[in-house]
Amino acid sequence: MAGRQIITTAQNTWCPGCGNFSIQFTLKSILEQREKDGKSLDNVVLVTGIGCHAKMADYLNVNSFYSLHGRAVPAAVGIKLANPDLTVICCSGDGDSYAEGLDHLVFAAKRNIDITVIVHDNRVYGLTTGQYTPTSPLGFKGKSTPAGTAEFPFNPIELMLASGATYVARGYTRKMDQLKRLVAGGIAHRGFSFIDVLQICATFFPAADYYDPRVYDLPESGLENFEAACIKAKEWDYSSDAKIGLGMFYTRSLPTFDRHMPVPVVTGADRDRAISELLEARR
Ligand code: SF4
């Protein structure tokens, strides 16, 4: 379907000022460019988890799969392995990917599955009204921690570097041009692409005043230097007052999972027959 309206007519229930809008318009712009370049959007699949971010599946007019909490990444992996011709973009939340779904994230990176994971890292559970997540800063006061959290956040950039991700970046929803470059680069990258997006939650963690004076652009050279990437990743621990680097931390080219374990070639007819048999067996 060419020239499609990318934003759907579904009623949008994100709060005014929510950073999800920036990610939505980043994806819209990338998808429109893809069509202009003559690439069909019929081969794009968007997978989401559960959380405010997950409504992206309702709001963008592409093939989509609205999965379970913490299970966006394995659903995206399954879709990609079943049909390697698809471009699979996985939107997930910080609670979604860094708590319930952490093991899936780590192993998708370890296996260098050719998908793009965008984590809407608002550092709070927004949909359930403000509980702390694995990236909430030390002392974060929310519904489940009224006296403040007593644990340090973990650093997803370090985690993904250690797990073997071959494209590791950090964006910010108030830097949309850069975010677009990072996401487009992740989609173009052959291998596991990870973009942690510092996303403003206007209602439960409106952190723009914290981020804005601290963010700066990372250098764009030496991106295959793993040790340098680790040093850059440690600069800000998601809790301290340090400067916050935005951009690319690391990228390298490595064989993807399907190169080591070729997926059997399945034709459209095979797939239709398998689906019919499955449905028939459930009658
Ligand atoms: Fe966005 Fe936060 Fe509102 Fe959820 S609760 S829609 S993340 S501003």
Side-chain angles (χ1 to χ4, degrees):
M1 188 165 68
R4 70 177 72 184
Q5 188 72 30
I6 302 287
I7 304 288
T8 69
T9 55
Q11 184 187 5
N12 192 305
T13 58
W14 287 328
C15 311
C18 175
N20 278 315
F21 286 106
S22 302
I23 301 174
Q24 181 192 28
F25 277 83
T26 295
L27 286 170
K28 171 183 181 280
S29 163
I30 289 170
L31 292 169
E32 283 173 344
Q33 187 59 51
R34 195 177 171 94
E35 267 205 321
K36 280 187 202 144
D37 293 343
K39 295 182 191 160
S40 172
L41 295 190
D42 291 346
N43 288 335
V44 175
V45 181
L46 173 70
V47 182
T48 66
I50 295 291
C52 293
H53 80 276
K55 298 174 187 176
M56 197 70 83
D58 293 329
Y59 301 157
L60 286 181
N61 184 19
V62 286
N63 302 305
S64 60
F65 187 87
Y66 209 135
S67 75
L68 301 175
H69 201 206
R71 304 296 178 259
V73 170
V77 169
I79 290 167
K80 181 67 185 183
L81 294 184
N83 188 348
D85 291 338
L86 297 176
T87 295
V88 181
I89 303 167
C90 176
C91 287
S92 183
D94 45 317
D96 208 36
S97 264
Y98 302 153
E100 283 82 351
L102 181 63
D103 50 346
H104 298 298
L105 182 70
V106 167
F107 277 87
K110 175 179 180 289
R111 292 170 179 146
N112 198 26
I113 308 280
D114 184 20
I115 60 174
T116 301
V117 175
I118 302 166
V119 178
H120 299 221
D121 191 358
N122 58 10
R123 309 174 69 202
V124 67
Y125 285 100
L127 192 67
T128 49
T129 70
Q131 296 78 16
Y132 81 105
T133 72
T135 50
S136 299
L138 178 68
F140 174 82
K141 290 184 179 168
K143 289 279 171 66
S144 59
T145 52
T149 56
E151 57 189 274
F152 281 97
F154 71 51
N155 181 334
I157 303 293
E158 279 188 301
L159 179 79
M160 285 292 92
L161 288 170
S163 301
T166 52
Y167 182 102
V168 180
R170 180 161 60 212
Y172 177 32
T173 52
R174 286 165 62 82
K175 295 258 184 188
M176 280 184 65
D177 286 346
Q178 180 188 54
L179 183 60
K180 183 180 165 190
R181 287 197 302 277
L182 296 175
V183 174
I187 293 170
H189 174 73
R190 179 136 170 78
F192 185 82
S193 303
F194 168 82
I195 303 121
D196 182 62
V197 182
L198 300 175
Q199 183 222 305
I200 298 299
C201 172
T203 304
F204 298 107
F205 196 7
D209 288 348
Y210 172 80
Y211 292 138
D212 285 356
R214 290 173 175 81
V215 293
Y216 76 99
D217 292 342
L218 290 165
E220 295 182 358
S221 56
L223 296 178
E224 291 198 7
N225 185 331
F226 184 78
E227 284 71 27
C230 292
I231 291 168
K232 282 186 280 183
K234 284 180 187 298
E235 194 175 35
W236 177 57
D237 64 4
Y238 284 72
S239 202
S240 70
D241 273 346
K243 290 281 185 194
I244 301 171
L246 299 176
M248 287 297 301
F249 285 85
Y250 181 68
T251 189
R252 72 176 295 196
S253 178
L254 276 182
T256 52
F257 182 75
D258 48 292
R259 288 282 303 278
H260 299 294
M261 183 179 281
V263 177
V265 177
V266 179
T267 65
D270 292 336
R271 196 172 293 118
D272 290 349
R273 194 176 322 109
I275 292 170
S276 298
E277 285 171 5
L278 186 68
L279 294 175
E280 204 53 48
R282 289 178 172 270
R283 277 184 198 279

